[in-house]
Amino acid sequence: MRFFNTLTKKIEEFIPNEEGVIKMYTCGPTVYHYQHLGNMRTYITEDVFEKAFKYLGYKVNRVMNITDVGHLKSDADEGEDKMVIAMEREHKSSKEIAKFYTDDFMENCALVNIKWPDTVVPATTEIDMYIKIITKLLETGYAYESNGNIYYDTSKFPNYYELSGRKEDELILASRDDVEEDKNKRNPADFVLWFTNSKFGNQELQWDSPFGRGFPGWHIECSGIAIKHLGEHLDIHFGAEDAVFPHHTNEIAQSEAYLGHKWCNYWVHLSWLLTDNIKMSKSLGHVTTIKTLKEEGYNPLSYRYFILSSYYHKQVNFTYETLDQNEAAYLKLLNKTTSLTPSGDLDKDLFDKYDNQFKEYLSNDIGTSNCITLVYDLLKDEQVNNTTKIELIKSWDTVLSLDLLKKEEKEIDSELLSYINKKIEERKEAKANKDFPLADQIRNELEEKGIILKDTREGTTFELVK
Ligand code: AMP
Ligand code: ZN
């Protein structure tokens, strides 16, 4: 498997620490608002990576956090606390807000066939781990107390700028433009590990700690959760491109200072979804979700198809026009794949030939758009019989997750259902009374309405064909 590693700035061959086993960490959502289509691009891509690793034979253990405790706009005591803003907006407790948006996120994930990670950890459940890390960082001189808060001293960590590959001045400037400076810090890039004296005194969630009653900084949660649940050596860490600095830069600094060795070898950053050619972002009021698309009449998987058709390491612009095109292409494809009926025996050689090609595309920097093209090529190939085509598509769909073989289930309204059930009962009674002409008459009557009865050992079932 080869993909772009932000740490080395090149496409690299992936070698996990333990052969065949991957410890994978993905930054999760902040749950003070909806996860929009941009956020979902990131989660769909991470889902495909996980499934691709598995398809290529690896075992994957994936952990994701849920940011359910104050998420400040910046790293020091600056910006605004988005959870507090949500509490004021919705007149709910932070717990209620976190639950509402976590549930909503799960529902959106399910609509685009994202597998829920093996372990999902709300940040509020690992406070002891953050305290443990911060205590050690204070003991070893990587952290200091200033005006009630605990800060990480970035000047103590020589590789601080390695991941971003940018210079200190540039980064400070980039993160500086809309926030006032925190005068408690020793160095401009220092960031808060623990707040006891935040200017946001109205925090609902606070915990006792050796440094005083307060709450954790934003970055420490990912280090704490990843180390606690995946151990001291992480194989691969994901996030969107904006996470490189400061979030992941700070994660590396605090984790490696705590562990005393290198933490994670591979960092993957997924490119943004744009709208009107700027980053889709909650702060700009972008709240279109997968559910919104569904309400608007789209098949949510058309969005997944759109994301898989683009290269994860390139920004893409979302427009409804593009979505319409992708929906048309997806439904056309679906029409072809779902109408395949088995014929012939599985042709093992052709199966392997196509499957190896699929694996090659996946291992070459997750070439999902090539994988989709391969589905079209397969469908067109007259040398491959339908049984082999079906088996290949079934197998590939464990990665693509586009429901390529799932026939659309027609919704049955309750009136129709009770009519069918009544007729099935009448027919059962007729058969019990040996009135076979009546039983046949009922069957025919239903058939004319497109309702096909099937007698099974468990009883009579039906299928709608119209
Ligand atoms: P948030 O809940 O805002 O922290 O975002 C959750 C994840 O979505 C993070 O990894 C973000 O970096 C990512 N993200 C935010 N906006 C976009 C976007 N427009 N395109 C892709 N990913 C995004
Ligand atoms: Zn994170």
Side-chain angles (χ1 to χ4, degrees):
M1 173 72 119
R2 290 149 40 81
F3 51 78
F4 190 87
N5 184 1
T6 312
L7 202 57
T8 55
K9 323 269 172 297
K10 52 181 194 249
I11 293 183
E12 275 191 332
E13 190 67 40
F14 176 61
I15 306 165
N17 288 297
E18 189 188 331
E19 208 186 319
V21 182
I22 301 176
K23 293 180 174 174
M24 168 171 177
Y25 186 83
T26 50
C27 288
T30 47
V31 283
Y32 56 82
H33 218 310
Y34 295 110
Q35 291 291 298
H36 54 58
L37 296 179
N39 302 127
M40 296 311 285
R41 176 183 189 198
T42 290
Y43 300 117
I44 290 172
T45 311
E46 290 165 350
D47 180 66
V48 170
F49 260 94
E50 178 184 351
K51 289 170 177 168
F53 282 135
K54 286 181 175 160
Y55 200 75
L56 297 170
Y58 294 97
K59 263 196 182 145
V60 183
N61 185 3
R62 176 173 169 202
V63 174
M64 183 179 80
N65 66 302
I66 300 271
T67 302
D68 60 347
V69 59
H71 182 342
L72 304 184
K73 197 166 169 186
S74 161
D75 307 291
D77 196 14
E78 301 161 341
E80 51 192 359
D81 187 312
K82 294 171 181 172
M83 186 58 100
V84 172
I85 291 173
M87 285 159 68
E88 283 162 9
R89 181 181 67 222
E90 301 180 23
H91 308 290
K92 286 183 189 162
S93 70
S94 55
K95 252 204 172 114
E96 287 167 330
I97 293 193
K99 179 167 180 354
F100 176 83
Y101 288 111
T102 304
D103 289 350
D104 185 79
F105 172 56
M106 280 177 96
E107 287 159 24
N108 279 289
C109 285
L111 286 174
V112 283
N113 288 344
I114 291 174
K115 174 194 164 287
W116 199 237
D118 303 289
T119 310
V120 177
V121 187
T124 49
T125 61
E126 294 294 359
I127 303 293
D128 288 351
M129 186 64 193
Y130 318 142
I131 292 175
K132 191 172 157 192
I133 297 176
I134 298 167
T135 303
K136 184 157 176 201
L137 294 179
L138 278 166
E139 280 165 14
T140 49
Y142 282 100
Y144 61 93
E145 189 272 341
S146 178
N147 197 20
N149 296 333
I150 310 294
Y151 291 84
Y152 186 95
D153 187 343
T154 52
S155 69
K156 298 273 162 60
F157 190 72
N159 286 343
Y160 187 69
Y161 295 100
E162 187 187 4
L163 184 72
S164 63
R166 291 166 71 189
K167 293 198 194 77
E168 178 176 352
D169 310 355
E170 279 171 38
L171 291 168
I172 300 308
L173 251 167
S175 65
R176 266 288 67 80
D177 52 359
D178 63 342
V179 288
E180 60 192 82
E181 204 188 332
D182 179 351
K183 302 255 174 358
N184 299 321
K185 299 196 289 188
R186 286 184 191 162
N187 313 290
D190 292 358
F191 54 95
V192 179
L193 296 164
W194 188 268
F195 291 98
T196 72
N197 183 23
S198 162
K199 74 179 184 193
F200 303 102
N202 50 349
Q203 282 287 329
E204 193 191 25
L205 292 175
Q206 303 219 24
W207 293 266
D208 289 326
S209 83
F211 343 107
R213 190 166 171 76
F215 59 96
W218 161 39
H219 314 295
I220 193 72
E221 69 178 73
C222 283
S223 291
I225 291 168
I227 293 170
K228 169 99 184 267
H229 292 271
L230 292 167
E232 290 198 2
H233 295 275
L234 186 63
D235 290 306
I236 185 163
H237 193 311
F238 286 82
E241 59 182 299
D242 52 342
V244 174
F245 184 86
H247 186 48
H248 291 167
T249 295
N250 292 349
E251 276 189 47
I252 294 174
Q254 58 201 4
S255 300
E256 296 195 356
Y258 170 72
L259 295 168
H261 58 70
K262 185 159 183 171
W263 177 43
C264 177
N265 293 329
Y266 299 89
W267 290 79
V268 177
H269 290 97
L270 314 166
S271 295
W272 288 334
L273 183 79
L274 312 177
T275 181
D276 295 331
N277 291 308
I278 47 167
K279 181 195 171 202
M280 189 176 271
S281 150
K282 282 186 273 255
S283 52
L284 296 175
H286 299 135
V287 287
T288 307
T289 66
I290 301 287
K291 276 194 194 170
T292 320
L293 297 184
K294 187 164 185 244
E295 279 156 23
E296 289 168 348
Y298 288 97
N299 183 325
L301 292 178
S302 302
Y303 182 72
R304 188 175 172 106
Y305 180 92
F306 163 58
I307 296 305
L308 298 193
S309 304
S310 61
Y311 174 46
Y312 74 92
H313 213 244
K314 200 165 168 221
Q315 297 182 342
V316 285
N317 195 44
F318 174 83
T319 63
Y320 274 96
E321 206 183 336
T322 315
L323 183 64
D324 287 339
Q325 287 159 3
N326 277 276
E327 169 130 318
Y330 171 61
L331 294 182
K332 217 166 140 191
L333 176 64
L334 211 54
N335 194 23
K336 289 192 181 126
T337 51
T338 53
S339 52
L340 286 170
T341 48
S343 73
D345 294 330
L346 182 86
D347 186 328
K348 189 81 183 70
D349 290 343
L350 281 173
F351 183 98
D352 288 347
K353 183 186 138 211
Y354 267 97
D355 199 38
N356 287 339
Q357 181 65 67
F358 184 80
K359 285 178 178 157
E360 206 174 304
Y361 285 148
L362 275 188
S363 25
N364 189 10
D365 209 13
I366 303 284
T368 46
S369 70
N370 283 335
C371 291
I372 291 177
T373 309
L374 193 64
V375 179
Y376 285 103
D377 293 345
L378 173 72
L379 286 167
K380 271 190 290 193
D381 190 339
E382 286 170 4
Q383 285 196 323
V384 186
N385 67 32
N386 276 2
T387 304
T388 310
K389 284 182 181 169
I390 291 171
E391 287 308 311
L392 278 164
I393 292 170
K394 193 197 284 174
S395 184
W396 297 347
D397 209 34
T398 59
V399 180
L400 303 175
S401 301
L402 290 168
D403 286 354
L404 291 174
L405 294 175
K406 195 168 161 186
K407 294 211 166 70
E408 203 187 332
E409 281 166 22
K410 296 198 173 65
E411 282 185 24
I412 307 173
D413 73 44
S414 55
E415 219 172 289
L416 178 63
L417 189 63
S418 80
Y419 164 77
I420 299 172
N421 285 337
K422 200 174 111 225
K423 288 287 164 192
I424 289 176
E425 273 312 301
E426 279 176 24
R427 179 166 165 268
K428 201 168 134 195
E429 218 175 289
K431 279 182 14 183
N433 295 334
K434 304 222 173 336
D435 187 352
F436 297 111
L438 177 60
D440 287 345
Q441 188 193 322
I442 293 170
R443 176 192 277 282
N444 294 340
E445 187 188 319
L446 289 176
E447 226 168 80
E448 272 166 29
K449 295 189 161 85
I451 305 156
I452 308 296
L453 295 186
K454 283 183 192 160
D455 292 317
T456 71
R457 233 187 291 165
E458 285 76 36
T460 305
T461 60
F462 67 90
E463 194 185 330
L464 296 184
V465 292
K466 269 191 206 159

